Amino acid sequence: MLDFEHYFDCFSVRPSRQNISFDCFTVLDLPVRTLVCDSVRPSLLDLPVRTLVCDCFTVLDLPVRTLVCDCFTVLDLPVRTLVCDCFTVLDLPVRTLVCDCFTVLDLPVLDRKKAKELQKKQKKLHKKSDGRPGTSESGCRLVDFQMSSTNPSLPQYVETCVEFIREEGINAEGIYRIPGNKQQVEILQVKLQEDPNVDIRSLDIQVNTVATVLKSFFKDTEPLIPPQLQEELLEAAEKYVENREAGKEPEIPEKSTRLLGIRGVLRKISPVNYEVLKYFITHLNELSQHKDKHSMDSRNLALCLWPTILRMDFSSYDKMAQSTKIPGEVIQTLIDQCGFFFHGEPEC
Amino acid sequence: MISHKSERTVTCTIVGDGMVGKSQICKTFIGDLTIEDYEATVTNEHSVLTQFMGDRYTLRIVDSSGQHDYKDIRTLSYKKSEVFILCFNLSDRDSFESIETFWIPEIRKLCKKTPVILVATGKDIQDNDENNNVSKEEYLSVMDKYGIDAYVECSSYNKEEVNEVFEDVLLSVIKSKKKRLSNIFHHLLAR
């Protein structure tokens, strides 16, 4: 059973939808992927999400909006009881419902104009990506974030962090490896949620803190590479790695085929996620060029970042110990062959 | 002649922020003298035969990742750990602060009673910025606050100092076993 105290806490946080779902993931302490899968998998929800949520509230015989407002803003109410009732009546996994609540219900968003713009953008993107695999419906999708003014497919949050690291991280030993100070991390997260354009320089925050914030951003949002494509990617890469392991430099046509295989999988990723992945990997590739200054070559960066980019579920320690190699190699390959995968350059 | 009736296996997990020298401690202990590499650890395991107070032990050392967000991977080995080696670097204040803000909570969430040993690495290094160095009083107060069983100051490259860490590991396992036994004993007597 989930701890309802936590749950309660998560409602009392800032009233923007983005923040709530963000907090929901961190507070409930469940792997994001589980949450996302539960809400997306149709087998769990025979009904359209919207109907289901409505049902949940009509059972309690209260107007949806009142109830939602009560739950989220009026803290004197016995929210816990209400929520409990909801769940017992519908007899559904708590996780599913919580997630749905956040994605479907219109919670008060601070800036309505911006929210409308976002919705329009979302609709466009959905039309484009219809029928393509890799579009996930999490409560914390990348498209829900405010996009950069220079790149409409890149969340400003990510751009602000990467730009700062690009400028300041070259001389920072162990960048992406040494975690930042927790207090500073929390300050920066709040600042970035309030204004993703914030000037990090004015906050007197160390560069490894920014790297930590960026890592937890990726960890808390939907996976950059959706689960089904991740499997394909690992399969494609496994063959590539096996060959490299065998000590023989793979014959040139064979190596190319594998790389093409990996690239093929990458191209199936939904546009925004692809753009973010491309941007991030390109940044890592540039960063790894300066390995003499910060000791982080592409292998080391990959080791410190693959679980952030790929979401693996390990059932046991032994299983994990056996299967950590390939994902690390995949990310290293992405960084090394960044030009080939993302920029149409020949392989190196 | 001492007879070795049973050979016990003791599992410990070594944790702490990235780059404080966790892997180097393991390397020094197992006598791996290869030149220092700079590769981050995801997970690694060493098995070492060792002798302590006349008994033979197999020490299984799980070297974990210092990346805070690798929790899912790291905590898989927590349950079977009989003791934790919690490291920070004496000349890196952030790594010391993480002890309280991150590592103790993560460990105690899953293992309420497992003994923890605090290891201060980088005994031989001082940061130029005085504020970055951690003083003895500071970490002794952390020890008291969280009931940490032992602490060792070492340089990750010093074989003797590192050996001391693992002696403390075995000692605390033996102690906690005894404590548990005597608790049961007292419980029975009280009835």
Side-chain angles (χ1 to χ4, degrees), chain A residues 125-169:
Chain A
L125 279 170
H126 270 285
K127 273 183 192 166
K128 272 186 200 165
S129 58
D130 246 1
R132 278 182 75 175
T135 42
S136 130
E137 284 185 37
S138 134
C140 222
R141 291 177 307 174
L142 291 167
V143 290
D144 289 341
F145 286 88
Q146 185 191 324
M147 294 297 167
S148 152
S149 50
T150 50
N151 183 346
S153 305
L154 181 70
Q156 183 61 49
Y157 194 116
V158 177
E159 191 179 44
T160 306
C161 292
V162 168
E163 282 301 322
F164 186 79
I165 297 166
R166 199 201 304 273
E167 282 161 33
E168 305 288 320

Side-chain angles (χ1 to χ4, degrees), chain B residues 168-190:
Chain B
D168 275 327
V169 164
L170 292 170
L171 196 65
S172 70
V173 169
I174 295 166
K175 261 198 218 159
S176 77
K177 278 266 151 91
K178 270 192 181 159
K179 205 170 147 193
R180 226 175 300 157
L181 273 176
S182 78
N183 278 349
I184 294 168
F185 195 59
H186 278 292
H187 188 71
L188 287 173
L189 278 180

